[in-house]
């Protein structure tokens, strides 16, 4: 094994002078290590009749050497050049199938060992399951027979999954997927010398682009993208592969409900250097099962010229989809405002449809006063229409009659209003095996499943019956207080037989069959055990408090095992948060989450440190609320300070937190928050900022939920950037960033420049650059090391601070 080192840049009073080191990986305390390496609970996929469960198990974490495997960065994607697949996948290492009635669990046989698999796609009649298996130089397709738990390889040609798409079942014997028409060894070689410079130009059309990473940069990149993204569509019927059409860069392929047609999106040249592959010029066609083009629906240009600003769209057709309740009808939307929401028009979008055989003229079926958000189909006389305004944080849902064209508003809500969200309409499979909205009592009522169920008592999921005439809901079932139980499927909507997932602070999440009509005892169908033994005895409490301007806030407080504030006194504290924008103060004050959920450990969270003697306030609410007619971000920094002060005051009031030993941290936008708090307050002894963006001028066409550009609001961009105030950051700050961050806007340069700026002004900081990591960290060695870094930083500057 080659020796891997971690590049660290550090400066601090304890080190005396600037230093740069290459150190070997460190391991945190044993309790933290055990939590990181705990074997994950298996994934579950349950058939619609609750007769079978497919369990999928995976190793806890890949090694850093797995991350170091060859990788190409093209068109906003990261791909494995050896086997035509996305890189950085989390693989399944074993499958097993449980017969729910007998309780017998059978390991799936016939798969390669060691196994690197993905997926679990049930066939229409749920007698088979399709999975893909990756090896070093190809991807293969295996079919698992559910009754026997035996897998069989069914493909001859290697699959190409660069552009996604997966595997589609047509019937129990027929699948459609994409294969690689050429071997990876035939990839175009990089020329020793370029034919000339790389040139881009603008000819007067506005092309505001987001700061996307891994874009095409050279003509050779173009050649590589075309080679790896090109695939051949094939049909596999009983093991016989038949080509469909010709090789192309397929971005999506979807069958009509009657399976007689395909809607095909293909990418064409020129490839853009400003946007990712999903913004390249695209052709949308309707094809028959042989690949013959029946109708060209649209020739869409590159999205380079999409106008900036939320709710603005390109002035071209969009949202192409099949209507689920009829054999073969396609629908799409067209802007009526030239794509600019500010234009004063009666309607902003129109929706059209076209029926098979696609030789007629499109028919306008409705218009929307807000931006069209989609249609959920039910039957010939019922569908649900969604419209939205992201800028105003509003959405509305209407009843739409596809036959008469009548539209009736059902409810209009703030998208941030969790308390009044009805949930999602319950669906059922129709004769085409498509999910459509279930209607009851002659299209007069619906069932809504709310898997969150936010309330003033915390999250309590519920099932409700909604009357379309009175527009009122009747709750049929709600999770009991003291637990968190949500419905994952409706097995029988008439008899109200449900599949639920139930948990509590002490009860590991497991699945149950619940009969609301017979009201018999729930049938437990899984028996998962607690993988996080080190967390047993840790207490969890959702605390509520107010900030100075009266807005209610909450957070999840975790205290160490055996802690007694009367004898142990106040603890050092780590506050972990992520800001959110709100137009409504009432919405910002709503309680989110439940203190009754089982404590699961994510490798990106802060809960590890409760095992090291810290009080941890996780999910500390950091709302940024629009005030006095202004936008939320106009008072971003003052509101951060209000939120932080309120949390600290509450922890001190409870007697569990030491005001003089407070730390704050976060990931991504939470890291941005952390750096701002350290730049503008003296509330904390230390900060942890992971994979953040600290100079907003590097994201000039908007960021997070801010749609004003740098040139429209230059002062806002300056004042929200902690880089602008790096000279004021004197509180010790630990900066961590993945070397290969792939997230929009959070280029590693952000942490590099902030580190240099703080260092240049004599601040205390340390910069950890994690090899091969993207925005979320995956490698075992890197995760363990960054936890060691955080724990050491907290111990040095918070738990045992030097004067």
């Amino acid at each position: 094994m080659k020796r891997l080192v971690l590049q660290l840049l550090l400066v601090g009073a304890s080190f005396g002078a600037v230093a740069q080191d290459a150190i070997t990986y460190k391991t945190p305390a044993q309790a933290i290590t055990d939590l990181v390496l705990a074997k994950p609970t298996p994934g579950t996929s349950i058939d619609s009749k609750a007769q079978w469960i497919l369990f999928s198990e995976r190793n806890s974490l890949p090694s850093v050497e797995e991350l170091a495997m060859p990788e190409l960065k093209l068109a906003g994607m990261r791909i494995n050049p050896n086997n035509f697949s996305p890189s950085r996948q989390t693989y399944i290492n074993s499958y097993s199938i449980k017969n729910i009635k007998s309780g017998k669990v059978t390991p799936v046989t016939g798969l390669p060992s060691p196994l690197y698999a993905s997926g679990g796609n049930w066939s229409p009649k749920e007698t088979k399951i399709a999975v893909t298996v990756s090896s070093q130089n190809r991807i293969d397709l295996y079919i698992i027979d559910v009754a026997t738990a035996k897998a069989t390889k069914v493909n001859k040609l290697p699959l190409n999954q660069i552009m996604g798409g997966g595997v589609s079942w047509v019937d129990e014997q027929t699948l459609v997927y994409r294969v690689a028409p050429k071997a990876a060894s035939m990839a175009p070689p990089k020329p020793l010398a370029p034919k000339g410079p790389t040139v881009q130009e603008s000819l007067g059309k506005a092309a505001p682009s987001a700061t996307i990473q891994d874009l095409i940069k050279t003509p050779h990149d173009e050649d590589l993208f075309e080679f790896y993204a090109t695939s051949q569509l094939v049909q596999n019927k009983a093991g016989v592969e038949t080509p469909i059409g010709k090789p192309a860069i397929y971005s999506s392929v979807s069958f009509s409900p009657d399976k007689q047609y395909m809607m095909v999106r293909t990418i064409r040249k020129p490839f853009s250097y400003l946007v990712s592959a999903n913004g390249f010029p695209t052709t949308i066609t309707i094809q028959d099962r042989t690949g013959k083009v029946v109708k060209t629906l649209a020739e869409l240009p590159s999205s380079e010229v999409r106008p900036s600003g939320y709710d603005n769209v390109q002035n071209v057709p969009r949202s192409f989809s099949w209507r689920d309740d009829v054999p073969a009808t396609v629908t799409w939307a067209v802007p009526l405002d030239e794509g600019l929401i500010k234009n004063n028009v009666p309607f902003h979008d129109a929706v059209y449809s076209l029926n098979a055989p696609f030789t007629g003229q499109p028919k306008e079926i409705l218009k929307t006063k807000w931006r069209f958000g989609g249609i959920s189909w039910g039957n010939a006389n019922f569908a649900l229409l969604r419209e939205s305004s992201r800028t105003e944080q509003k959405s509305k849902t209407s009843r739409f009659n596809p036959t008469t064209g009548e539209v009736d508003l059902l409810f209009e809500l703030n998208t941030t209003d969790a308390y009044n969200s009805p949930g999602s309409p319950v669906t059922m499979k129709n004769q085409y095996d498509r999910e459509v909205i279930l209607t009851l009592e002659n299209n007069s009522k619906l069932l809504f499943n709310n898997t969150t169920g936010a309330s003033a008592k915390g999250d309590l999921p519920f099932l409700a019956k909604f009357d379309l005439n009175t527009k009122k809901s009747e709750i049929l079932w709600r999770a009991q207080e003291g637990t968190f139980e949500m419905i994952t499927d409706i097995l029988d909507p008439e008899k109200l037989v449900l599949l639920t997932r139930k948990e509590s602070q002490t009860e590991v999440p497991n699945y149950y069959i619940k009969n609301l009509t017979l009201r018999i005892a729930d049938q437990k169908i899984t028996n998962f055990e607690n993988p996080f033994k080190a967390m047993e005895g840790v207490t969890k409490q959702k605390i509520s408090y107010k900030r100075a301007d009266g807005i209610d806030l909450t957070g999840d407080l975790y205290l160490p095992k055996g802690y007694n504030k009367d004898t142990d006194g106040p603890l050092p504290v780590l506050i972990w948060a992520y800001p959110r924008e709100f137009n409504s103060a009432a919405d910002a004050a709503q309680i989110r989450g439940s203190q009754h959920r089982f404590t699961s450990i994510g490798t990106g969270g802060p809960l590890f440190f409760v095992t090291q003697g810290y009080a941890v306030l996780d999910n500390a609410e950091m709302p940024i609320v629009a005030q006095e007619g202004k936008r939320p971000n106009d008072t971003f920094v003052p509101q951060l300070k209000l939120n932080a002060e309120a949390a600290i005051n509450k922890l001190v009031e409870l007697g569990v937190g030491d005001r003089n030993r407070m730390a704050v941290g976060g990931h991504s936008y939470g890291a941005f928050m952390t750096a701002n708090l350290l730049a503008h307050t003296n509330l904390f002894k230390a900060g942890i900022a992971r994979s953040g963006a600290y100079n907003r001028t590097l994201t000039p066409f908007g960021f997070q939920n801010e749609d004003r550009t740098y040139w429209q609001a230059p002062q806002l961009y300056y004042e929200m950037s902690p880089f602008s105030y790096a000279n004021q950051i004197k509180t010790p700050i630990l900066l961590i960033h993945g070397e290969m961050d792939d997230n929009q806007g959070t280029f590693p340069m952000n942490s590099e420049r902030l580190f240099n700026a703080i260092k240049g002004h004599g601040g205390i900081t340390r910069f950890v650059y994690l090899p091969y990591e993207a925005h979320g960290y995956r490698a075992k060695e890197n995760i363990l090391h960054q936890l060691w870094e955080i724990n050491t930083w907290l111990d040095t500057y918070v738990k045992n601070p030097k004067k």
Side-chain angles (χ1 to χ4, degrees):
M1 180 183 293
K2 64 182 180 180
R3 184 170 179 267
L4 293 163
V5 297
L6 199 67
Q7 295 297 322
L8 299 180
L9 299 173
L10 54 99
V11 62
S14 59
F15 302 105
V18 176
Q20 181 172 321
D21 294 328
I23 69 171
T24 56
Y25 282 109
K26 304 293 185 183
T27 303
Q30 191 62 49
I32 295 178
T33 300
D34 290 343
L35 289 171
V36 170
L37 301 182
K39 188 173 179 61
T41 298
T44 57
S45 179
I46 304 172
D47 74 316
S48 63
K49 297 177 182 178
Q51 295 176 339
W52 303 94
I53 305 177
L54 175 69
F55 293 119
S56 53
E57 298 197 42
R58 58 182 175 85
N59 292 333
S60 57
L61 297 167
S63 70
V64 72
E65 286 196 302
E66 290 180 65
L67 263 61
M69 297 296 286
E71 180 179 67
L72 293 177
K73 302 172 184 177
L74 300 168
M77 303 182 296
R78 296 188 173 182
I79 66 176
N80 183 331
N82 295 327
N83 67 0
F84 292 93
S85 73
S87 58
R88 300 173 181 267
Q89 297 187 64
T90 299
Y91 291 110
I92 294 165
N93 305 115
S94 70
Y95 290 101
S96 59
I97 293 178
K98 179 176 180 177
N99 182 310
I100 293 177
K101 184 176 181 180
S102 69
K104 182 181 179 181
V105 178
T106 305
V108 173
T109 60
L111 294 169
S113 180
L115 180 65
Y116 299 94
S118 301
N121 185 3
W122 295 77
S123 64
K125 294 183 179 179
E126 299 178 317
T127 64
K128 302 175 183 179
I129 301 171
V131 301
T132 57
V133 176
S134 298
S135 62
Q136 284 193 335
N137 58 10
R138 61 182 287 147
I139 302 172
D140 289 304
L141 175 62
Y142 283 75
I143 302 301
I144 302 171
D145 180 271
V146 174
T148 63
K150 292 182 178 179
T152 305
K153 178 174 170 291
V154 297
N155 68 302
K156 293 182 177 61
L157 299 170
L159 276 63
N160 183 336
Q161 295 193 314
I162 295 296
M163 299 299 296
V167 177
S168 299
W169 287 96
V170 179
D171 55 45
E172 291 299 295
Q173 301 297 323
T174 310
L175 303 104
V176 170
Y177 47 88
R178 306 172 208 175
V179 300
K182 297 180 180 180
S185 60
M186 298 176 66
K190 185 174 183 179
L192 294 177
K195 296 179 181 179
T198 299
V199 177
Q200 301 182 59
E201 65 179 349
S202 174
L203 298 177
K205 287 187 177 182
S209 58
T211 50
I212 302 171
Q213 309 201 48
D214 304 334
L215 297 177
I216 286 177
K217 297 180 176 65
T218 67
H220 180 58
D221 284 351
E222 295 185 58
D223 293 341
L224 287 174
F225 172 75
E226 183 175 18
F227 175 82
Y228 283 107
T230 297
S231 62
Q232 170 68 59
L233 199 63
V234 300
Q235 172 182 285
N236 186 318
K237 188 174 183 66
V240 178
E241 291 176 323
T242 306
I244 300 175
K246 297 179 180 180
I249 303 178
Y250 295 98
S251 61
S252 70
V253 178
S254 63
F255 280 92
S256 59
D258 65 3
K259 304 292 199 307
Q260 298 305 304
Y261 299 94
M262 301 179 295
M263 188 190 309
V264 178
R265 298 178 71 109
T266 54
I267 289 174
R268 65 181 193 276
K269 293 181 175 180
F271 304 143
S272 173
Y273 285 37
L274 292 178
V275 298
S276 58
N278 58 13
F280 287 0
T282 302
T283 300
I284 303 177
T285 59
I286 300 295
Q287 301 181 11
D288 64 18
R289 289 279 297 275
T290 69
K292 179 183 176 182
V293 175
V294 175
K295 175 75 174 180
T296 297
L297 294 174
E299 297 273 0
L300 301 180
S302 166
S303 66
E304 286 182 10
V305 294
R306 179 189 180 277
S308 63
Y310 300 131
D311 302 315
N312 290 335
V313 296
Q314 273 187 279
N315 191 23
V316 296
R318 70 184 196 282
S319 302
F320 289 86
S321 64
W322 292 108
R323 182 172 160 178
D324 295 312
D325 63 321
V326 292
T329 295
V330 65
T331 64
W332 66 91
V334 174
L336 300 176
D337 54 8
E338 298 181 335
L340 302 176
I341 201 72
K342 68 179 181 180
N343 288 345
N344 187 15
V345 293
F347 299 94
H348 285 279
D349 282 329
V351 179
Y352 292 84
S353 71
L354 183 63
N355 303 333
F358 310 106
T359 54
Q361 291 299 311
K363 174 186 176 183
E364 181 184 294
I365 59 173
L366 62 89
K367 294 179 180 178
T368 62
K369 294 186 177 180
W370 292 2
R371 244 342 140 220
F372 172 71
I375 297 176
S376 297
W377 299 98
N379 53 51
N381 298 308
F382 180 81
L384 287 180
L385 166 67
R386 299 182 302 280
E387 303 172 60
S388 66
S389 170
R390 181 172 176 182
T391 301
E392 296 183 10
Q393 296 184 337
K394 290 183 178 295
S395 68
K396 57 184 176 183
T397 301
S398 302
R399 177 181 186 174
F400 169 57
N401 188 319
T403 299
T404 65
E406 180 183 0
V407 176
D408 177 31
L409 178 66
L410 296 179
F411 39 81
E412 180 179 321
L413 297 169
N414 292 342
T415 55
T416 53
D417 181 1
Y419 285 1
N420 290 302
S421 172
S424 301
V426 172
T427 62
M428 66 174 187
K429 287 188 177 181
N430 62 8
Q431 68 269 36
Y432 306 112
D433 200 42
R434 304 287 275 239
E435 293 288 341
V436 294
I437 295 176
L438 171 68
T439 60
L440 305 172
E441 300 176 30
N442 195 28
N443 283 347
S444 67
K445 294 180 181 177
L446 308 178
L447 292 177
F448 275 94
N449 179 19
N450 193 318
T451 57
T452 301
S455 75
K457 295 180 179 180
D459 290 353
L460 293 169
F462 62 82
L463 177 70
K465 183 181 287 187
F466 182 82
D467 191 307
L468 292 166
N469 297 318
T470 65
K471 300 176 183 177
K472 296 186 181 299
S473 288
E474 172 195 359
I475 292 182
L476 303 177
W477 171 86
R478 188 157 205 161
Q480 287 186 335
E481 293 182 33
T483 66
F484 180 88
E485 185 175 13
M486 65 178 181
I487 299 170
T488 61
D489 197 6
I490 311 289
L491 303 176
D492 188 330
E494 298 208 0
K495 297 180 181 179
L496 293 178
V497 180
L498 318 175
L499 181 67
T500 70
R501 184 177 184 269
K502 182 180 179 181
E503 61 189 283
S504 69
Q505 280 199 23
T506 57
E507 185 180 353
V508 177
N510 273 292
Y511 288 87
Y512 296 81
I513 296 175
K514 180 185 294 287
N515 191 314
L516 298 186
T517 301
L518 299 180
R519 299 192 178 278
I520 57 178
D522 295 351
Q523 178 188 355
K524 186 177 182 181
I525 62 172
T526 60
N527 292 283
F528 300 134
E529 297 181 353
N530 181 9
F532 307 116
K533 298 295 185 182
M535 293 295 289
E536 291 181 349
V538 170
T539 61
K540 175 186 177 182
Q541 177 188 358
K542 182 167 283 293
I543 61 172
S544 300
Y545 48 98
K546 284 183 183 292
R547 72 184 202 186
D549 61 359
I551 291 180
D552 292 317
L553 305 174
T554 62
D556 297 325
L557 176 61
Y558 296 83
L559 297 173
K561 177 180 179 179
Y563 170 70
N564 185 316
K565 68 178 181 181
D566 296 327
T567 57
D568 299 329
L571 295 170
V573 177
L574 173 59
I575 297 175
W576 199 263
Y578 191 96
R580 290 184 60 197
E581 298 86 351
F582 293 86
N583 288 336
S584 164
D587 291 354
Q590 292 180 355
I591 294 175
R592 290 168 177 81
S594 168
Q595 75 175 52
H596 302 297
R597 299 201 70 164
F598 182 77
T599 301
S600 296
I601 303 292
T603 55
L607 300 188
F608 299 98
F609 305 104
V610 75
T611 68
Q612 303 304 302
Y614 291 87
V616 176
L617 185 65
D618 193 16
N619 301 316
E621 294 284 356
M622 290 278 174
I624 309 299
V625 184
Q627 297 179 339
E628 300 173 358
K630 296 182 179 181
R631 295 199 187 185
N633 284 337
D634 292 341
T635 53
F636 181 83
V637 171
Q639 291 197 61
L640 278 186
K641 183 178 179 181
L642 287 175
N643 294 326
E645 287 176 336
I648 291 171
N649 290 340
K650 182 62 176 181
L651 294 168
V652 172
E653 175 193 321
L654 291 173
V656 300
D658 184 340
R659 186 183 297 276
N660 297 315
R661 294 191 294 167
M662 294 280 169
V664 64
H667 188 89
S668 195
Y669 209 53
F672 174 70
M673 167 206 74
T674 297
N676 264 304
L677 283 169
L678 300 194
H680 297 286
T681 77
N682 294 311
L683 297 171
F684 299 97
K685 289 296 182 183
I688 294 95
R690 294 190 323 208
S691 298
Y694 309 111
N695 185 344
R696 298 279 44 139
T697 66
L698 299 176
T699 54
F701 287 104
F703 56 91
Q704 206 69 6
N705 284 308
E706 179 56 64
D707 65 347
R708 289 170 288 185
T709 70
Y710 166 76
W711 298 274
Q712 292 170 327
Q715 192 64 25
L716 174 82
Y717 275 67
Y718 179 87
E719 292 177 353
M720 286 186 68
S721 298
F723 181 81
S724 304
Y725 303 93
N727 60 312
Q728 298 177 186
I729 300 179
K730 301 304 179 184
T731 301
I733 182 170
L734 174 63
L735 299 169
I736 303 175
H737 218 116
E739 175 192 17
M740 298 182 178
D741 194 320
D742 57 349
N743 184 53
Q744 180 174 311
T746 53
F747 289 85
M749 175 174 53
N750 279 277
S751 291
E752 295 172 1
R753 296 295 182 265
L754 182 61
F755 170 79
N756 288 333
I758 297 171
K759 177 182 69 174
H761 288 91
I764 300 174
T765 184
R766 183 175 175 94
F767 176 28
V768 182
Y769 213 29
L770 299 175
Y772 304 109
E773 292 292 357
H775 192 59
Y777 313 148
R778 297 183 64 240
K780 174 179 63 178
E781 297 90 341
N782 284 331
I783 288 171
L784 289 171
H785 184 91
Q786 62 99 20
L787 290 169
W788 175 85
E789 290 280 358
I790 295 173
N791 197 49
T792 302
W793 197 255
L794 292 175
D795 284 353
T796 302
Y797 295 107
V798 181
K799 183 185 283 186
N800 305 302
K802 296 178 181 179
K803 293 185 180 180

